[in-house]
Amino acid sequence: MAKLSDPITLLKGVGPARAKQFANLNIFTLRDLICHFPRGYEDRTRLVPIEKLAVDEPACFRAMVMNTPRTSHIRKGLDITKVQVADHTARLTLTFFNNRFAAEQLQYGAEYIFYGAVSGDFIGYNMTNPVFEPLDSRPVTTRRVLPIYPLTAGLSNAAVLKAVSQALAICDPPAEILPEPVRQRYGILPAERAYTAIHAPASMAEAELAKKRLVFEEFFVFSAGLSLMRAARAEKRTEAYPNLDMRPFYGVLPFTLTQAQKRAVEDILLDFGKGVPMNRLVQGDVGSGKTMVAAAAIYCAAGNHKQSALMAPTEILAEQHYESLRKLLAPLGIPVALLTGSQTAKQKRTVREQIGSGEVQVVVGTHALLTEDTQFQDLGLVVADEQHRFGVGQRSKLSAKGESPHLLVMSATPIPRTLALLMYGDLDVSILDELPPGREAVDTFLVGESYRPRINAFIRKQVSEGHQCFVVCPAVEENEELGLKAATVWAETLQKTVFPDLRIALLHGQMKGAEKEAAMASFARGEADVMVATTVIEVGVDVPNATLMVIEDADRFGLSQLHQLRGRVGRGKAKSYCILTSHNRNPETLQRLKALCKTTDGFKIAEEDLKLRGPGDFFGSRQSGLPAFRVADLSFDLATLKEAQAASAEWIDTYGTSDAPEAAALRERIGELFQRAEGTMN
Ligand code: ADP
Ligand code: MG
């Protein structure tokens, strides 16, 4: 018997060249091959006499070849091969287009199994390009449910099928990890049967069952992994913070916290008092005031002589957090530093020294915080802002920098409950379901190009009232083909032809870090009236004086992304507006955009987005930090996900973190899946 970890070159017919083709599909071992699941099936189970073949209904039939195949060359690029076949019920003419090599294999007088559909015309029935094989061919491709595999250049479906069948014949499929009672309760096939049936199902129904089992298994492994992570952390100890006095902090706040903010801060203080590392997600719509919650946590950590690190996904955001934290905390005697990739080597060195010596209590930064050479004196708290951009892996990398520091992650993406459970199964959650008082909803409109003069007039009106505007474009540079508005060109057009008297600023992702910073800071100081930008401004940036956002070619963005963008306005006291423009007349697209005009509830929008586009797009596939599931599809398999989650919770209750043999196999699978999650993130 071969092992799952053995290389596929063990198989007959898999030499170095074949192996290279398989490598293109990330298949190296027998396990990879057995886990290379079909993307679909063709039901070739039905076998009928020729007489019973129905028009346009593909089926198999057994027939004898009645003459020698004859090929006529019709013209350049068109060969037609015809051959007569018959069974005891009828005769049939088969026609092959440009397929003489295959068709001429048919031996006069021999019997074959054919698979195809007849088409009817005035002259009678005929069949074009049927599939056929000798009665004794192995592996068979007819009279069965044929798996259709994801392929790569040079590798045919038959070649994959052959390799997979061989692999299954010489080694056992992955071990059973689902306990019998779980399989019983959820109607789940045993592992051995499922791994065989997914590649060679007896029927379409069995293929479905096999797939369900494998989806279930995948979700089960993932949620068990999150639960084990959580359990392992619950066993960790850290000193409980003795000083939970927040009065000095509240004393310097320019406003009182909302009820939701207060609840979140209380959750955090409770965590801090426990002596167990906190793992908390603060989830709240844009503008709900997450930064203040983070600031409160940081203040408390500092009051207990612990350092804090706040990690943001972009430099602009890091800089803005740095500014607001410094303003708040410096008067309280808490030094704050900034560490980003675009600082000079010298600046970075200085900050790192200050962090290492403990001279600095709070550091705000980007991924630069994750590098080896950032060492803390005593890191007590890690805050990750806009969490959806950080995966499970990065979360743990930063935590590894301290002695089990507390972890606070903040997400502005209202994630549908089911997905939140999946992504944050290892976290406790505080929800900010309330906006600070005095916020009015941002009025949102969807308009076509004919409204251009009115849009321009509206921009002018806002500016004349002393406010500022954002204009968001989907691209940085002009793209003739797509005809999309490009930030650079559009900024120039607006400045030259529409608003020569206004101050137009530009911000896009191709600008250098320092340039971006300067542009954003200058706009925040009110030194420009209109900022033309790409989605760099999507996350977190705060300019309370901005009251209008125009989003050009809005159909180019996802709903959740539009909602995030819109969150950049309506952050001050004045009434704010968002105008979506689109040339797109597709009713579905318009319906999608109209949904955004109707509601400002981020959770509703997220659900809608999930329904319309699926979770891959929803998170931006590479940003989610979720593992690349092999079989599971989050948009279709949510019901199975729920079952698997319940089952894995029971499993953990039963076996816990003990060394039961069942746990060993599962733990190995968890390790494998999480490793794959790392891979998709970098
Ligand atoms: P987000 O949740 O999107 O990160 P921020 O933390 O950036 O939101 O807060 C948005 C704005 O609301 C900021 O200008 C902040 O100063 C302000 N803010 C936060 N909390 C309150 C509050 N309780 N009352 C009034 N304004 C607040
Ligand atoms: Mg924020």
Side-chain angles (χ1 to χ4, degrees), residues 241-408:
Y241 289 180
N243 175 9
L244 302 177
D245 181 11
M246 298 297 288
R247 278 169 302 183
F249 177 77
Y250 290 142
V252 299
L253 280 190
F255 39 68
T256 48
L257 295 185
T258 64
Q259 288 307 318
Q261 282 171 316
K262 277 186 198 149
R263 276 197 304 272
V265 173
E266 269 155 32
D267 288 344
I268 292 167
L269 295 183
L270 269 178
D271 292 343
F272 282 170
K274 273 187 197 149
V276 173
M278 169 176 78
N279 268 286
R280 183 164 295 280
L281 169 71
V282 173
Q283 200 181 50
D285 215 339
V286 276
S288 58
K290 293 181 290 294
T291 318
M292 276 311 136
V293 175
I298 290 171
Y299 171 80
C300 185
N304 291 277
H305 313 290
K306 294 286 182 186
Q307 288 176 298
S308 298
L310 192 158
M311 189 160 68
T314 64
E315 300 218 342
I316 295 185
L317 199 53
E319 281 146 18
Q320 201 161 61
H321 281 326
Y322 166 69
E323 286 303 332
S324 45
L325 282 183
R326 200 171 50 95
K327 256 186 233 141
L328 208 60
L329 298 177
L332 294 163
I334 302 168
V336 183
L338 177 70
L339 186 66
T340 65
S342 65
Q343 287 173 318
T344 65
K346 183 155 173 280
Q347 282 173 317
K348 280 187 264 197
R349 197 166 348 105
T350 311
V351 174
R352 289 203 168 104
E353 275 163 19
Q354 291 172 327
I355 299 171
S357 70
E359 188 184 327
V360 147
Q361 289 267 45
V362 183
V363 59
V364 182
T366 52
H367 290 73
L369 287 175
L370 286 175
T371 57
E372 286 288 316
D373 49 354
T374 311
Q375 296 296 337
F376 292 83
Q377 194 227 3
D378 191 359
L379 180 62
L381 170 66
V382 171
V383 184
D385 193 16
E386 309 302 340
Q387 138 73 20
H388 64 291
R389 303 216 168 187
F390 295 114
V392 179
Q394 276 161 319
R395 229 140 75 195
S396 57
K397 203 163 167 183
L398 193 51
S399 300
K401 289 199 171 292
E403 294 276 320
S404 316
H406 296 294
L407 182 63
L408 183 65

Side-chain angles (χ1 to χ4, degrees), residues 554-566 580 589 591-597 602 604-610 612-613 618:
D555 51 291
R556 288 286 157 168
F557 303 94
L559 278 191
S560 291
Q561 197 180 15
L562 288 169
H563 179 64
Q564 292 278 312
L565 283 167
R566 177 171 64 178
L580 312 172
T589 308
Q591 185 210 331
R592 194 163 70 83
L593 294 175
K594 277 183 189 143
L596 198 76
C597 301
K604 270 195 202 140
I605 290 166
E607 296 281 358
E608 189 74 10
D609 217 12
L610 181 66
L612 291 168
R613 308 204 308 161
F618 182 80

